[in-house]
Amino acid sequence: MSVGYHIVVCGGIVPDPLQTLEPVKGPAGWGLKNELMLPAILDPWAGHALFEAANLAKSAPGSKVWLVSMGPKAKLQQVMMTIAQKVPFELVVLDGPAGGFVEAHEVGTALAEAIEALPGLDKSKLLVFGGWQSASRGAGATMQIVGEKLGIFDQFQGVDKLEARADGTMRILERVEGGSYQESVVAGPPAVLGWATGELPEPPNNPQVGMQNMRLVMPALQKAKPVKIDGGPEYAKVEIPSQKRETRIVKDTPSEVIAKEIIDWLGA
Amino acid sequence: METLRTLPGDDVRQIMWRFADRYDIQMALQSARSLARTLVARLVAEGARNTHEWTDHKAQLLEAFDTSGLTALFMEPHQGGFIEGPKNLALALVAFELSWVDAGAATCSLATNLALAPIHERGTQEQRDYYMSNCVPPQPGEDRKIFRGAFALTEPLPYVGVETNTLVGKVRVAEWEDGKEPMLQVDKRGRFITGMDFANFATCAVDTDDPRIKTSCIVIVEDTDEGLFDRGAPTLKMVHQLSSTRDPVFNLKVPASRIVGGYTVKDGVIVPNYTHSEIIGAVFHRTRVPVALMSTAKLLSAVEPVIRYQRQRYRGGDAVAGTPKYDLGIQQKPDAVLRLADIWATGEAGASLGFETARLFDQLDPTEKAKDKIMAERGVVGPKSQLSALRKVEKLAIEYLALESMPEDKRDAARFQELGEDTLVRYVLLESLANILCPACKLWNTGHGATVMRESLALMGGYGITEDCPGFLFHKWADTQLEATYEGPEAVQRRQLSITMTNEVFLAKLRIWIDQFTLLAQEKPETGAGIVAKAMELWLWTLEFLHRAKDPSGARLYHNRRQNVTFPMADALCWIMASRCQVADLLELAEKGPENPIVAEGLEGTLGFLSDLSMVQAARAAGECARICATMVNGFGPQDEAELTAFDKLRSQLDRSLSGAALAKDRAGYALTQVMIPEALDYPM
Ligand SMILES: Cc1cc2nc3c(=O)[nH]c(=O)nc-3n(C[C@H](O)[C@H](O)[C@H](O)COP(=O)(O)OP(=O)(O)OC[C@H]3O[C@@H](n4cnc5c(N)ncnc54)[C@H](O)[C@@H]3O)c2cc1C
């Protein structure tokens, strides 16, 4: 019988996508204009990973969920006011830069070290969850690197479904081309899963859960160790894509018309 | 010079409104925000406001309030809530956040709390625990119906709106068997009762109609009680349509234990522990604050859609990206941004006033309980004897204030400590302020707020009065009128102020503020503190003048029935209080901002901009105050020449203090052309 999983979710924070994100070069290299002042949210891919993790943990008694996050700790605290209300987890904070300008290798190494150092972590029960990509950069490399560093070679990327079966094996659906799935069965943990959108909706806020989480979140933020990231790529030039998003709002447009527009756009 | 980079975010607000270290409150606020900007915004966009009927469409709100934790916000942890202790600030922030999108939704979420408020403030412990825990959504595995409540004070009959001392609703003894609990017959018709479509209990204000019941009281009735629980006709309202309002009819038999706060039996007569007006006083004292902030949220929420509209107004046609015409639109013209600066400044001042009041009540709540305990121990019962006991404490409170304002090395430290630790002194100090700030924010934020809200529509041009107006500004404007009306319309707040603003403890505090702000003006003239100091001085002088002066017929000027004197002076005070709080929030941000890395990043620009708004607002407030005071001093004349000369001197000092105020507005207007806003409004239209 299941004695539970140890699920570590890696999740960064990203600026609220409603904002104009303008790259600027500061003394510490490239970043976004007014980055600290922009409202931040949990990276949506990581969000799916977290909700799936919580759901899996709930169905497998004895499980535990950690959320390992690297980002400026003041920003992380702000994001936690929403995330902590969604599902139970224990936060581990790496106080460092967030966003798309840090080399995936650096981020992956820092995350792997933090996971390695988790007190009480049982690697034989370990599932490392994260986003297949992130909203700040679609390299799709970070989770792979985390896995490699931890010596976990069963890796799945673009996951939409995980089914934990009674015999301890897990059936996993990964996105492949054209809306199809690749189906795999893995013997059990340890494994790395980079999630696509999963299947679960965003859970509603529950302040009771929030109050429980915050008891651990606040101390975690306080004792967060600064992470020094050095090296990484040199960007010669960074700019906003020239194709700008022009949102049109047309009331009462029938869905067929919208669908046709999308198809025309895809074909153009 | 650095100017405002982005609109002030949560981190800035947490410092200014003093909840940076309260993550319980921050969480509640995030819940309210996500609900407001999803379901609530969708309901409005889908036209749920087009009917006054309570529909299934609107009823989705109730479940959403339950699942987001907002329903449990008012409760203590042992009753199923999650915030321990006083919750005035938490409730105010949640009302603010919901009203950012729709104030009817905010009212809907608060209606049960309003029904619970009499029980919360004056109910017995059993009443409190029973109703509060039943109003919490059932936990997983729990099988019970959630209680929702309505508060029934106002009645369809004349006099029973503003004149809450008159009640037509009645309570009689229905049965009273020997040795058993008396059964009461409650007969009440309510008018405009919020939450009535789904309430299963109501707290009703009723007068006694039986020699065996001593006074009026508030009684709890339930829909399962014997008799008539008729929800009545829906109110044909044109505002706050996301809440339910009806004119119910109750004629029910209930046990006497439903009298809020309990009762005693003396010589065969039921003596309620609290009359209805004592309870209502305590309730409205607190619940008026979130209502005030509902209007304020609208003003601040208007800023972003107006900027976006202004910048895009000339796009299209031959406008080319990168040209001023394309990027700035009508923000190329100063008037557009100067008017927006006024709207924003009013919103800032209202928020500062409202949240300061909410925080004050968080301090007052436990102090009031401690005071009641002391009074009970001393055998001081009844509001009249309490009042006269407290009047004696006022002297001590004034003595405390005098010591507080002295330099530390000059004052009698032992006496200062002794008075500081005296619960009754503390209570008198807090209460004297609450008695001003509560009616002031209810009156000014909603009344003046409604006027200024109109401007935001004007800045949208014709768009402002179409259904598509971004930010639902038209609805918001209409809604402010209700906020200015319910829980006592403007006249009620003015009347309360006209009595409380002559309280000596408050006036002593005002004198201290004048000194502090005069000093502050030397250190930080950019805050507008000097202007506020002069306005306070002029107001105080005028009040004192009105007490000694007479009109040509020899009648006293400051008199309860002379509303042409007392009411304008109350209005003037509101302006000053709002500006005073605004300056205080600015100082807090200047002090604590640098400690927070996020805030520190753009602090110079944010502070500079908010200082400019503070100065703009102070100049406006001083202008209003000076105009009113001049009317008082000259308008009932002719008056003594020496008095007039003294007044003129003060008034001209006030005018001089405005130096630089117009420049501040220029700067604020310019900043509005530079600030970065999100690409799209974060809720639909
Ligand atoms: C949508 C809606 C929801 C409501 N929800 C509730 C609820 O849940 N529970 C509840 O109990 N009530 C509720 N109310 C009632 C609301 O609180 C009252 O409408 C309000 O208190 C005003 O009373 P009134 O309408 O009887 O006005 P009136 O008492 O008739 O006053 C009208 C005007 O007369 C003048 N006036 C009156 N007295 C004086 C005075 N002494 N001095 C100077 N001028 C004076 C003022 O100009 C005042 O504005 C609601 C109302 C609405 C519209």
Side-chain angles (χ1 to χ4, degrees):
Chain A
M1 246 333 281
S2 150
V3 282
Y5 302 105
H6 280 182
I7 313 173
V8 178
V9 182
C10 303
I13 54 175
V14 292
D16 186 328
L18 281 171
Q19 307 279 339
T20 311
L21 304 176
E22 205 180 311
V24 287
K25 190 160 192 171
W30 285 92
L32 295 172
K33 187 175 172 194
N34 297 336
E35 181 162 350
L36 267 183
M37 295 170 75
L38 298 174
I41 55 170
L42 183 69
D43 179 74
W45 270 273
H48 294 299
L50 180 64
F51 308 147
E52 295 284 347
N55 191 50
L56 177 63
K58 207 162 82 184
S59 65
S63 296
K64 178 165 179 180
V65 178
W66 287 266
L67 174 63
V68 180
S69 190
M70 180 162 92
K73 73 177 181 184
K75 275 273 120 160
L76 273 171
Q77 178 173 341
Q78 183 199 55
V79 174
M80 283 308 132
M81 292 308 155
T82 336
I83 300 309
Q85 295 190 64
K86 304 265 174 213
V87 292
F89 61 81
E90 186 175 321
L91 181 72
V92 179
V93 182
L94 308 178
D95 189 13
F101 299 100
V102 189
E103 169 66 17
H105 181 263
E106 305 287 334
V107 180
T109 307
L111 292 174
E113 280 168 9
I115 295 171
E116 200 80 65
L118 284 180
L121 184 80
D122 181 346
K123 265 200 177 169
S124 69
K125 299 180 186 174
L126 178 61
L127 294 174
V128 182
F129 280 18
W132 169 38
Q133 305 194 333
S134 82
S136 57
R137 179 190 33 203
T142 310
M143 290 311 297
Q144 292 185 35
I145 296 167
V146 173
E148 297 289 330
K149 294 266 176 192
L150 290 171
I152 303 173
F153 306 114
D154 283 331
Q155 298 206 4
F156 305 89
Q157 299 296 336
V159 177
D160 263 346
K161 191 175 172 67
L162 165 66
E163 194 189 316
R165 303 201 283 199
D167 62 359
T169 63
M170 294 184 296
R171 179 173 162 262
I172 293 165
L173 296 187
E174 287 168 280
R175 285 187 182 184
V176 288
E177 301 224 342
S180 307
Y181 283 109
Q182 169 170 296
E183 181 180 338
S184 319
V185 175
V186 62
V192 169
L193 281 82
W195 285 85
T197 50
E199 290 193 312
L200 299 169
E202 183 167 329
N205 284 358
N206 180 342
Q208 267 93 4
V209 170
M211 293 300 281
Q212 270 162 30
N213 279 340
M214 290 314 285
R215 271 186 257 282
L216 298 170
V217 166
M218 294 314 280
L221 284 162
Q222 264 142 26
K223 61 171 193 256
K225 280 199 206 75
V227 182
K228 189 117 176 57
I229 298 288
D230 39 30
E234 268 291 316
Y235 297 94
K237 188 171 168 221
V238 180
E239 58 190 21
I240 307 178
S242 60
Q243 188 203 357
K244 276 180 69 177
R245 177 167 58 122
E246 290 286 0
T247 311
R248 275 194 305 138
I249 298 165
V250 186
K251 272 200 165 172
D252 307 323
T253 311
S255 42
E256 303 85 74
V257 175
I258 301 175
K260 183 171 180 313
E261 261 191 45
I262 295 173
I263 292 164
D264 290 349
W265 176 76
L266 284 172
Chain B
M1 202 189 65
E2 160 115 30
T3 168
L4 185 68
R5 291 199 217 162
T6 61
L7 302 177
D10 284 332
D11 307 278
V12 171
R13 294 314 193 184
Q14 283 162 15
I15 295 174
M16 293 178 72
W17 302 337
R18 322 290 208 281
F19 62 102
D21 53 354
R22 288 288 303 270
Y23 60 80
D24 48 355
I25 293 186
Q26 293 175 34
M27 276 184 345
L29 188 143
Q30 291 302 333
S31 289
R33 180 175 302 168
S34 59
L35 181 72
R37 300 186 193 196
T38 53
L39 175 65
V40 174
R42 222 162 41 236
L43 286 174
V44 180
E46 288 166 2
R49 291 184 53 122
N50 296 342
T51 170
H52 50 256
E53 295 282 354
W54 185 249
T55 58
D56 287 347
H57 198 204
K58 296 180 192 177
Q60 296 172 62
L61 282 173
L62 298 178
E63 208 195 313
F65 293 143
D66 295 348
T67 53
S68 64
L70 295 187
T71 310
L73 181 65
F74 192 48
M75 321 314 171
E76 289 297 312
H78 78 272
Q79 296 157 337
F82 57 96
I83 296 185
E84 183 108 49
K87 294 171 229 338
N88 299 286
L89 180 60
L91 289 164
L93 281 160
V94 163
F96 179 90
E97 203 55 51
L98 289 172
S99 307
W100 190 272
V101 178
D102 187 89
T107 302
C108 189
S109 105
L110 293 177
T112 293
N113 295 352
L114 184 60
L116 285 172
I119 303 171
H120 182 261
E121 297 309 324
R122 294 292 179 267
T124 62
Q125 187 64 41
E126 298 82 65
Q127 287 171 340
R128 226 176 291 156
D129 284 346
Y130 178 74
Y131 286 98
M132 304 285 279
S133 19
N134 274 297
C135 285
V136 173
Q139 293 299 301
E142 221 185 331
D143 181 26
R144 82 179 146 77
K145 199 168 100 180
I146 180 170
F147 271 27
R148 301 194 199 274
F151 173 70
L153 170 64
T154 53
E155 301 179 354
L157 303 141
Y159 316 124
V160 201
V162 166
E163 294 296 340
T164 52
N165 286 333
T166 323
L167 283 176
V168 182
K170 292 291 185 268
V171 59
R172 284 177 286 275
V173 174
E175 293 156 20
W176 193 346
E177 286 176 39
D178 249 2
K180 281 204 184 157
E181 186 180 15
M183 295 297 289
L184 309 176
Q185 191 69 32
V186 177
D187 183 9
K188 167 99 179 172
R189 294 175 55 189
R191 177 180 62 167
F192 300 161
I193 305 306
T194 300
M196 226 25 253
D197 274 280
F198 40 81
N200 35 16
F201 75 97
T203 35
C204 301
V206 278
D207 206 353
T208 170
D209 189 31
D210 194 318
R212 284 172 296 169
I213 304 174
K214 180 130 188 271
T215 61
S216 72
C217 59
I218 290 196
V219 182
I220 310 164
V221 299
E222 296 184 8
D223 58 355
T224 49
D225 289 330
E226 183 188 332
L228 183 73
F229 187 100
D230 183 345
R231 294 174 195 278
T235 303
L236 308 183
K237 62 185 175 178
M238 302 198 288
V239 291
H240 280 208
Q241 290 97 325
L242 290 192
S243 63
S244 123
T245 319
R246 306 179 78 99
D247 296 357
V249 181
F250 304 118
N251 196 333
L252 297 154
K253 205 194 275 182
V254 307
S257 61
R258 297 280 190 75
I259 294 176
V260 172
Y263 63 95
T264 52
V265 176
K266 212 170 143 193
D267 305 329
V269 174
I270 297 171
V271 186
N273 289 340
Y274 300 100
T275 66
H276 87 284
S277 50
E278 282 171 67
I279 300 178
I280 284 168
V283 167
F284 280 171
H285 219 35
R286 286 153 179 91
T287 55
R288 278 174 181 156
V289 184
V291 176
L293 285 158
M294 285 185 192
S295 301
T296 300
K298 300 183 176 85
L299 290 172
L300 291 175
S301 79
V303 170
E304 187 189 312
V306 169
I307 294 180
R308 185 174 299 107
Y309 174 79
Q310 288 181 336
R311 290 191 188 160
Q312 295 174 354
R313 184 66 184 95
Y314 291 148
R315 276 188 199 170
D318 55 0
V320 181
T323 60
K325 183 174 178 182
Y326 186 92
D327 291 337
L328 285 176
I330 44 181
Q331 288 204 338
Q332 289 175 101
K333 312 279 189 237
D335 184 64
V337 284
L338 294 175
R339 284 186 190 276
L340 184 57
D342 273 333
I343 296 171
W344 192 338
T346 310
E348 288 298 327
S352 297
L353 175 59
F355 289 122
E356 166 143 354
T357 314
R359 295 192 303 270
L360 180 69
F361 278 110
D362 278 351
Q363 291 182 41
L364 183 59
D365 281 357
T367 315
E368 186 174 28
K369 290 211 173 70
K371 176 237 12 173
D372 285 338
K373 202 166 153 235
I374 294 174
M375 289 291 177
E377 282 162 10
R378 296 187 186 168
V380 186
V381 278
K384 285 224 178 80
S385 12
Q386 270 215 16
L387 219 62
S388 67
L390 288 171
R391 196 141 294 145
K392 293 192 195 105
V393 183
E394 285 184 2
K395 265 207 189 73
L396 301 178
I398 293 171
E399 185 188 344
Y400 175 81
L401 286 176
L403 289 169
E404 191 188 40
S405 64
M406 279 160 89
E408 237 174 275
D409 53 343
K410 296 237 166 64
R411 71 180 164 218
D412 179 346
R415 180 66 177 159
F416 181 61
Q417 190 183 352
E418 182 194 355
L419 290 174
E421 284 165 4
D422 186 324
T423 305
L424 295 184
V425 170
R426 182 173 158 77
Y427 171 77
V428 165
L429 286 168
L430 293 171
E431 179 71 1
S432 73
L433 275 184
N435 277 335
I436 301 293
L437 295 187
C438 171
C441 70
K442 175 65 178 41
L443 173 59
W444 192 82
N445 290 23
T446 62
H448 179 60
T451 306
V452 176
M453 191 62 207
R454 193 203 68 85
E455 288 267 321
S456 70
L457 276 75
L459 294 183
M460 290 271 186
Y463 209 170
I465 44 178
T466 67
E467 278 193 5
D468 295 340
C469 179
F472 309 135
L473 298 185
F474 180 86
H475 294 313
K476 290 178 182 176
W477 175 44
D479 283 353
T480 52
Q481 188 53 56
L482 176 56
E483 288 139 33
T485 301
Y486 69 11
E487 301 201 15
E490 292 163 77
V492 172
Q493 316 306 328
R494 292 196 175 96
R495 205 171 53 171
Q496 186 185 336
L497 277 165
S498 68
I499 296 159
T500 55
M501 71 194 186
T502 56
N503 174 295
E504 280 306 326
V505 182
F506 168 68
L507 294 177
K509 184 83 193 178
L510 186 70
R511 288 188 186 98
I512 291 172
W513 282 334
I514 294 175
D515 292 344
Q516 284 176 345
F517 271 48
T518 306
L519 276 181
L520 187 62
Q522 288 158 18
E523 272 171 59
K524 293 184 183 266
E526 72 282 3
T527 56
I531 306 176
V532 182
K534 281 292 160 209
M536 292 195 271
E537 218 178 322
L538 190 74
W539 183 89
L540 183 61
W541 187 92
T542 307
L543 184 76
E544 288 164 351
F545 164 82
L546 290 167
H547 276 291
R548 50 179 189 263
K550 298 201 164 61
D551 72 11
S553 73
R556 264 171 49 212
L557 287 182
Y558 202 93
H559 188 280
N560 207 359
R561 279 196 295 272
R562 198 150 200 171
Q563 294 183 338
N564 194 16
V565 171
T566 53
F567 279 25
M569 284 301 282
D571 279 323
L573 183 62
C574 294
W575 282 92
I576 306 173
M577 289 296 104
S579 265
R580 192 201 67 77
C581 296
Q582 189 175 7
V583 174
D585 281 359
L586 200 60
L587 295 178
E588 181 78 8
L589 182 64
E591 190 191 322
K592 306 271 167 66
E595 293 161 19
N596 177 316
I598 296 173
V599 177
E601 202 197 32
L603 187 59
E604 192 193 331
T606 308
L607 261 183
F609 175 75
L610 291 176
S611 300
D612 286 339
L613 286 191
S614 178
M615 178 87 132
V616 165
Q617 187 60 33
R620 180 74 212 281
E624 278 299 315
C625 176
R627 179 185 63 75
I628 289 169
C629 292
T631 315
M632 296 296 107
V633 175
N634 297 297
F636 295 99
Q639 299 290 348
D640 179 64
E641 264 312 308
E643 295 274 34
L644 295 181
T645 311
F647 177 78
D648 289 347
K649 188 169 163 219
L650 276 178
R651 173 140 195 206
S652 87
Q653 285 174 357
L654 180 145
D655 286 347
R656 289 286 177 88
S657 75
L658 302 182
S659 170
L663 290 172
K665 193 162 179 177
D666 274 347
R667 281 193 302 270
Y670 172 73
L672 286 173
T673 66
Q674 300 300 305
V675 66
M676 181 172 121
I677 59 162
E679 236 173 278
L681 191 64
D682 60 356
Y683 54 93
M685 14 186 259

